[in-house]
Amino acid sequence: MTSDLISFARGAPSLDIVDIDGLKAAADAALTTDPGGATGYGTAIGYPPLRKFLAEKHGVAEEQVLVTNGSMQADAFLFDELVEPGRAVVVERPTYDRTLLGLRQRGADVRAVTLDTDGIDTEELAALLESGVRPTFAHVIPNFQNPAGYTLSAAKRARLVELAEAHDFIVFEDDPYVQIRFAGEPLPTMLELDGGRGRVVYASSFSKTVAPGVRVGYLVGPADLIARIRVRATNTYISPNMLAQAIVYRFCVDGGLERSVATVNAALRERADVLCDALAKHIPDARFTKPDGGYFMWVELPDGVNVGELLTAAEQRGVTFVKGTDFLLDGGESTLRMAYSGVRTDQIEEGVARIADALGSLRVSAG
Amino acid sequence: MTSDLISFARGAPSLDIVDIDGLKAAADAALTTDPGGATGYGTAIGYPPLRKFLAEKHGVAEEQVLVTNGSMQADAFLFDELVEPGRAVVVERPTYDRTLLGLRQRGADVRAVTLDTDGIDTEELAALLESGVRPTFAHVIPNFQNPAGYTLSAAKRARLVELAEAHDFIVFEDDPYVQIRFAGEPLPTMLELDGGRGRVVYASSFSKTVAPGVRVGYLVGPADLIARIRVRATNTYISPNMLAQAIVYRFCVDGGLERSVATVNAALRERADVLCDALAKHIPDARFTKPDGGYFMWVELPDGVNVGELLTAAEQRGVTFVKGTDFLLDGGESTLRMAYSGVRTDQIEEGVARIADALGSLRVSAG
């Protein structure tokens, strides 16, 4: 075991791209300008100025926004509200492992639709709908998807909203990475494309733009659905973290957010470049699509590579990643998710070289 | 309607007894001394130094502690883990309204046992157990109970632990007010009396000692139960608020907690004194027990007073409280909960005078 583990496993930023001084200033400002709001109970809708800020950002009424303790808590409330045991829910194939777990634990009939490099295969979904499957909702991560890093095209966004309207389901647009774009042009959200018809529930987070430890996420959706989820939130925790939300609010309005996003995106652009170059050099038969943003890249190795064996061999060499099989109901035995968010540039080539060495050891032992 | 509403309704501290400067210093210190821990994801057990601090405080292993987003979230996890639909759970009569709601929503067969001024009637509970009722757990708020303000005597604490051992149930010791003692001597927790036999699950919070908006609570219990709840917590939100927990930790270890408790207790002692004096003066037929700590006092008015009508008349006069009926499955029509935590001393007599006037108006209209 090499002592300095290089981890491509966890979707988290390295500390050097978190604005600690900005957070200190925001904490001081939050407690100075609104001591009562930052330290009182508040209500389950979240810190009111942050809720208002988010409503304005998305062009919706405040009653359509609920700020939560991280966006996974928002997902959990939404799933508790919407999932009906035995009824279909559509996900991307592959998708975020915790989403799969949350849906299966609630008894959803999980239907996985192929994810292409330009997003979910909307015609495969259309055929599924035509066949009579009536999903409660379709969970889609539109930008720099976790685990694949792919982005949903503008045309497919419009098509998804059209399908939701025609077949009476909700699009759950799970969008934590939207601001982490370091190449290409931003695309409209499906929330925007829906134009207030109430077919889209949108979730995002400050984990990637401020820091994960602030645990601030949010939901945007139809006011009646948000009101029902507010009751759930009240009964679960009275109110989410007012202190952290007040700090995030000050960070946003005092310019920290813009600076932080610039820092993060510059760093991640470089890390993605270095990772792609290193893979091309050390594992030339690996297939991948260079992402336009986000934390992750999906890497396909030649058929016959067993990713479980590869991970064991890689960890013996001081490098780790997540097996692709974790993000699928079945299949994916030769795939892996590589997170470049938490790895310094100077570690990336060494990490890839170690994976290449691990891969070579499997091929030797199989040969 | 009088313009300046005086509220005896909400169990929350007034802003003048929250140590805002201490929180600013703690935020700066947390981000300076442990920037990675305060801003990273962490895990569902909570901020590790705070968990360790709490384990040492209670004399238990770290594996027995889970730090949550407020203690109501801890209750919710515990109820999800333990409540079985249709099976009995014992509560105090009266008890915290959100506890009643959480238990009923999960289908518990709620059995309310009389709360005396020295705590739950353990012999009534013993008789219930002897009659064959087999509760999963008994929920008890031992110190300065919400809503009554009463404290469980040392003898009854020992008796409860003995009953739990004899009848194979858990005592859920819900103890958020323990440090808010301004009269009398501290009593041992049932967690201590249990001596590691695993019959007691203990919950507390920093809402009353630091501030509610930090949303930091915790559970202490048998390691296997805590491990199961950790899985629930991971699946719900990955990790609780690391930033807020790191701030609370620094606040505790840098002396803020001790200072804050002294400030709060001095203020609340005075408020409770003023409230009792005002009640004796303006509503001489009100019955109550002066509390030794906490936020609340239970006030019984003569039979025949309808507390719903009284609340309406009181709110017309610019004063509010919570009806006693909210804390009971049935009965309590002439009772109310008065919270003195959020009311400045100079408002208390005026508020009680307004309630007395409201009461007089009911008596006149009935006469």
Side-chain angles (χ1 to χ4, degrees), chain A residues 22 37 57 62-63 71 83 106 122 128 173 209 215 220 223 230 246 266 272 276 288 299 303 306-307 309 327 335 358:
Chain A
K57 172 188 169 80
E62 287 178 56
E63 292 65 32
S71 72
V83 172
R106 289 170 179 84
T122 45
L128 189 70
E173 184 171 19
T209 52
R215 310 305 300 124
V220 183
R230 175 189 179 151
C276 290
F288 54 85
V299 178
D303 287 348
N306 179 304
V307 73
E309 292 172 13
F327 305 98
T335 61

Side-chain angles (χ1 to χ4, degrees), chain B residues 333-349:
Chain B
E333 284 80 4
S334 304
T335 61
L336 53 151
R337 185 190 78 172
M338 298 192 74
Y340 47 85
S341 54
V343 196
R344 293 194 321 270
T345 309
D346 59 359
Q347 301 174 310
I348 292 175
E349 185 168 351

Side-chain angles (χ1 to χ4, degrees), chain A residues 189-202:
Chain A
T189 63
M190 288 178 281
L191 180 71
E192 291 167 318
L193 297 176
D194 177 58
R197 282 176 295 177
R199 289 285 167 203
V200 177
V201 176
Y202 183 92

Side-chain angles (χ1 to χ4, degrees), chain A residues 11-14 17-20 22-23 50 53-54 57 144 175-181 202 204-218 248-249 251-252 255-265 268 294-295 341, chain B residues 39 41:
Chain A
S14 53
I17 56 174
V18 174
D19 180 6
I20 299 296
L23 281 169
L50 184 60
F53 173 86
L54 291 167
K57 172 188 169 80
F144 330 122
D175 203 14
Y177 308 102
V178 58
Q179 289 194 264
I180 311 304
R181 178 179 279 280
Y202 183 92
S204 192
S205 159
F206 291 94
S207 291
K208 282 76 189 176
T209 52
V210 181
V214 301
R215 310 305 300 124
V216 180
Y218 63 97
V248 165
Y249 173 70
F251 191 87
C252 288
L257 186 67
E258 206 174 323
R259 282 196 313 274
S260 180
V261 167
T263 303
V264 170
N265 288 357
L268 296 194
Y295 279 9
S341 53
Chain B
T39 64
Y41 271 107

Side-chain angles (χ1 to χ4, degrees), chain B residues 216-230:
Chain B
V216 180
Y218 62 97
L219 276 181
V220 182
D224 61 333
L225 176 67
I226 295 297
R228 295 202 304 277
I229 291 176
R230 176 189 178 150

Side-chain angles (χ1 to χ4, degrees), chain A residues 24 32 39 213-215 237 241, chain B residues 24 32 39 213-214 237 241:
Chain A
K24 284 184 191 176
T32 300
T39 62
V214 301
R215 310 305 300 124
Y237 52 47
N241 205 290
Chain B
K24 284 185 192 176
T32 299
T39 64
V214 302
Y237 53 47
N241 205 289

Side-chain angles (χ1 to χ4, degrees), chain A residues 10-13 15 18 20 23-24 27-28 31-32 35-43 69 72-74 76 96 98 101 105-106 207-208 211-216 231 233-245 247 295, chain B residues 10-13 15 18 20 23-24 27-28 31-32 35-43 69 72-74 76 96 98 101 105-106 207-208 211-216 231 233-245 247 295:
Chain A
R10 200 152 194 213
L15 185 54
V18 174
I20 299 296
L23 281 169
K24 284 184 191 176
D28 196 273
L31 286 161
T32 300
T39 62
Y41 270 108
T43 70
N69 289 321
M72 228 184 81
Q73 174 79 70
Y96 181 38
R98 293 199 180 282
L101 181 68
Q105 282 181 330
R106 289 170 179 84
S207 291
K208 282 76 189 176
V214 301
R215 310 305 300 124
V216 180
V231 172
T234 300
N235 293 341
T236 304
Y237 52 47
I238 305 178
S239 62
N241 205 290
M242 291 294 128
L243 179 59
Q245 291 192 8
I247 293 171
Y295 279 9
Chain B
R10 201 153 194 211
L15 185 56
V18 175
I20 299 297
L23 280 168
K24 284 185 192 176
D28 197 272
L31 286 161
T32 299
T39 64
Y41 271 107
T43 70
N69 289 321
M72 229 185 80
Q73 174 79 71
Y96 182 37
R98 293 198 180 283
L101 181 68
Q105 283 180 331
R106 289 169 179 84
S207 291
K208 281 76 189 175
V214 302
R215 310 306 300 122
V216 180
V231 173
T234 301
N235 292 341
T236 303
Y237 53 47
I238 303 177
S239 61
N241 205 289
M242 291 294 128
L243 179 58
Q245 292 192 8
I247 292 171
Y295 280 10

